[in-house]
């Protein structure tokens, strides 16, 4: 009897391409919760009506489309997570915030860039085989959390092609997955009693198809970057409602902290949205119990603050990728 292929050894491998669409071996790996990355073989059929039956000779292969998403719980020491952040935002720099008091702590600061890095090769390990997706760009990342739950991440990708390879031998390590029991969210410098949150970073990208190939050239931006999200908090005053009604712009800072490293530094993820405007902020009397207020927001750049997001990860890795 043939053994069925199961999910006992599922993983995601990542490698940074130096030439767009030229696959490379995976150098970093992630545990994933789910994935839906697929290639679509677009078939093209001639509409000629010469015969009653559809003729096999009149159907040919057309364009190949690759895309989908995957979800995981990010360990703050995962190189795979910080590699994804680099390819989402653009660039990364690493430094030691305090060499004397915390000689093993490194802070990786991610910055926005107009042009995204060249691309990623993603390998989805499926027990006995691997599906290798080349020329992948990060179209979106969503970070979400609820009280008492692990931080969760969902990534959307746009790729070029796929092939089937022998499964890699992944190096998978557990690495300080933050739980939302030690997280803070502040609005305008004031911490709120937040029940859940969701932050989405979107890179609208479009494939670039030409008449000389079935596959896309390196995708290009098709619209403006957008950073938005929402959080739910207890309705304790009219301050959020007032900021929503008056279109008051303030900073929003989310920090998720894990184990201590040294010298007052810990494994952490910090996201600062310096110019943020509330898009919704109305409490609704729709059930018994504590009254809550769902808050929606969007982050912007302005003349004095050209970056709409500042993000860093602190861990004990000397490099981000």
């Amino acid at each position: 009897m043939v053994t069925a292929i199961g999910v006992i050894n599922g993983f995601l491998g990542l490698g940074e391409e130096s030439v767009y669409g030229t696959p490379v071996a995976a150098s970093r790996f992630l545990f994933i919760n789910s994935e839906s990355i697929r290639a679509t073989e677009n078939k093209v059929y001639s509409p000629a009506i010469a015969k009653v039956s559809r003729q096999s000779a009149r159907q040919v292969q057309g364009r190949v489309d690759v895309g989908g998403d995957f979800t995981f719980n990010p360990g703050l020491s995962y190189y795979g997570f910080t590699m994804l952040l680099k390819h989402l935002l653009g660039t990364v720099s690493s430094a030691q915030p305090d060499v004397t008091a915390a000689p093993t702590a490194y802070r990786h600061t991610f910055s926005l860039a107009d042009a995204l890095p060249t691309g990623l090769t993603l390998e989805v390990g499926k027990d006995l085989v691997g599906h290798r997706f080349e020329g992948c760009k990060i179209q979106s990342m969503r970070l979400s959390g609820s009280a008492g739950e692990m931080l969760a991440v969902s990534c959307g990708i746009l790729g070029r092609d796929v092939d089937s390879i022998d499964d890699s031998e992944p190096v998978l390590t557990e690495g300080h997955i933050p739980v939302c029991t030690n997280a803070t969210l502040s609005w305008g410098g004031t911490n709120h009693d937040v029940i859940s949150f969701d932050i989405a970073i979107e890179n609208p990208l479009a494939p670039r198809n030409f008449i000389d190939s079935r596959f896309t050239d390196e995708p290009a931006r098709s619209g403006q970057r957008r950073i938005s999200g929402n959080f739910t908090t207890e309705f304790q005053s009219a301050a959020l409602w007032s900021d929503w009604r008056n279109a008051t712009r303030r900073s929003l800072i989310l920090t998720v902290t894990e184990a201590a490293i040294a010298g007052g530094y810990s494994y952490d993820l910090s996201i600062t949205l310096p110019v943020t405007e509330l898009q919704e902020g109305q409490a609704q009397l729709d059930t018994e119990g504590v009254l809550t207020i769902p808050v929606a927001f969007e982050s912007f750049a302005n003349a004095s603050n050209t970056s709409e997001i500042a993000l860093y990860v602190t861990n004990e890795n000397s490099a981000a990728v």
Side-chain angles (χ1 to χ4, degrees):
M1 180 181 293
V2 177
T3 302
I5 297 177
V7 294
I8 196 67
N9 193 30
F11 64 87
L12 183 79
L14 305 95
E16 289 192 294
E17 296 175 356
S18 57
V19 177
Y20 177 76
T22 299
V24 297
S27 60
R28 305 300 185 194
F29 298 89
L30 286 173
F31 290 102
I32 55 173
N33 301 335
S34 64
E35 62 87 17
S36 64
I37 308 172
R38 299 290 184 270
T40 300
E41 281 277 3
N42 293 285
K43 307 295 186 180
V44 183
Y45 187 81
S46 169
I49 56 174
K51 296 184 179 182
V52 172
S53 300
R54 288 170 63 88
Q55 303 297 305
S56 61
R58 304 194 71 82
Q59 179 168 282
V60 297
Q61 291 178 304
R63 191 181 70 205
V64 174
D65 295 324
V66 174
D69 56 35
F70 57 92
T71 65
F72 64 101
N73 299 111
L76 296 181
S77 64
Y78 287 179
Y79 283 104
F81 178 43
T82 47
M83 183 181 287
L84 288 171
L85 289 173
K86 172 188 171 184
H87 282 256
L88 170 73
L89 298 176
T91 65
V92 61
S93 61
S94 301
Q96 292 180 277
D98 191 333
V99 177
T100 302
T104 61
Y106 290 84
R107 179 157 290 171
H108 311 289
T109 302
F110 299 86
S111 301
L112 298 176
D114 290 345
L116 296 175
T118 300
L120 290 167
T121 296
L122 301 184
E123 177 188 347
V124 180
K126 299 180 179 178
D127 200 3
L128 301 180
V129 300
H131 286 162
R132 183 174 63 182
F133 298 88
E134 64 194 45
C136 294
K137 297 275 194 176
I138 307 299
Q139 287 206 106
S140 64
M141 180 181 287
R142 184 178 296 275
L143 301 98
S144 59
S146 298
E149 300 293 331
M150 285 183 174
L151 182 66
V153 173
S154 174
C155 279
I157 67 105
L158 178 66
R160 184 179 187 272
D161 196 14
V162 62
D163 60 353
S164 184
I165 61 174
D166 291 336
D167 213 1
S168 293
E169 290 295 331
V171 180
L172 292 165
T173 57
E174 299 289 354
H176 300 285
I177 300 173
V179 180
C180 294
T181 54
N182 196 17
T184 61
L185 189 150
S186 70
W187 169 255
T190 300
N191 286 352
H192 284 263
D193 293 324
V194 170
I195 301 165
S196 63
F197 65 86
D198 186 302
I199 296 177
I201 305 165
E202 299 171 78
N203 286 319
L205 300 173
R208 297 165 56 232
N209 293 100
F210 303 108
I211 61 174
D212 61 347
S213 175
R214 298 177 63 213
F215 311 102
T216 180
D217 272 18
E218 185 172 355
R221 290 191 185 274
S222 59
Q224 293 180 319
R225 177 176 44 237
R226 185 172 186 230
I227 300 173
S228 60
N230 59 77
F231 63 90
T232 299
T233 183
E234 290 187 349
F235 186 43
Q236 297 173 345
S237 76
L240 289 170
W241 183 89
S242 178
D243 282 349
W244 164 64
R245 285 290 289 153
N246 293 297
T248 304
R249 292 168 182 164
R250 303 189 190 276
S251 66
L252 185 149
I253 302 174
L254 171 71
T255 303
V256 186
T257 306
E258 226 276 331
I261 298 175
Y265 292 91
S266 300
Y267 287 87
D268 63 9
L269 164 69
S270 176
I271 300 174
T272 299
L273 309 178
V275 183
T276 304
E277 184 175 317
L278 302 186
Q279 309 298 307
E280 178 60 71
Q282 302 179 81
Q284 299 293 316
L285 291 170
D286 56 359
T287 186
E288 296 177 332
V290 176
L291 190 60
T292 61
I293 177 169
V295 179
F297 60 84
E298 187 166 354
S299 177
F300 300 92
N302 64 18
S304 61
N305 198 329
T306 57
S307 179
E308 57 264 47
I309 184 172
L311 188 153
Y312 68 74
V313 172
T314 308
N315 58 29
E316 293 186 274
N317 300 334
S318 60
V321 298

